[in-house]
Amino acid sequence: MIDAHPDLQERELAKMAKLSAAIAQALRERGTSEPAAALAAEAGVAAFRIAFAQWLADPDGHGLGSYIRSAVDDLRRVTAA
């Protein structure tokens, strides 16, 4: 539904930006320096978005958590190379 409506797409992007900012702030409060806090927050939100899309498309009803773990594992593999 969101993909079919530009207004909803814009709202979704704004929500993801707010989520990323909140995660980055929480990381900074825990002692993570910049730009690492912002980078980790953006990567985490990207992993979540990919996982969420896969979960929505899953006809077998696997849990969202399994897709999030898989996305984070993929991110680790890509960045370790």
Side-chain angles (χ1 to χ4, degrees):
M1 182 170 184
I2 291 172
D3 291 340
H5 300 284
D7 290 342
L8 293 178
Q9 291 172 0
E10 186 176 338
R11 184 174 174 174
E12 182 71 8
L13 288 173
K15 288 187 332 186
M16 290 296 117
K18 282 184 179 183
L19 177 60
S20 179
I23 293 169
Q25 181 60 34
L27 289 170
R28 285 190 292 275
E29 289 172 3
R30 293 176 62 183
T32 304
S33 62
E34 286 296 341
L39 180 61
E42 290 288 336
V45 168
F48 172 78
R49 290 183 68 191
I50 296 296
F52 190 74
Q54 290 175 325
W55 178 65
L56 288 177
D58 181 8
D60 297 325
H62 294 100
L64 177 58
S66 67
Y67 286 105
I68 291 172
R69 282 187 293 279
S70 179
V72 170
D73 288 346
D74 288 344
L75 181 59
R76 281 188 188 119
R77 277 192 294 279
V78 168
T79 57

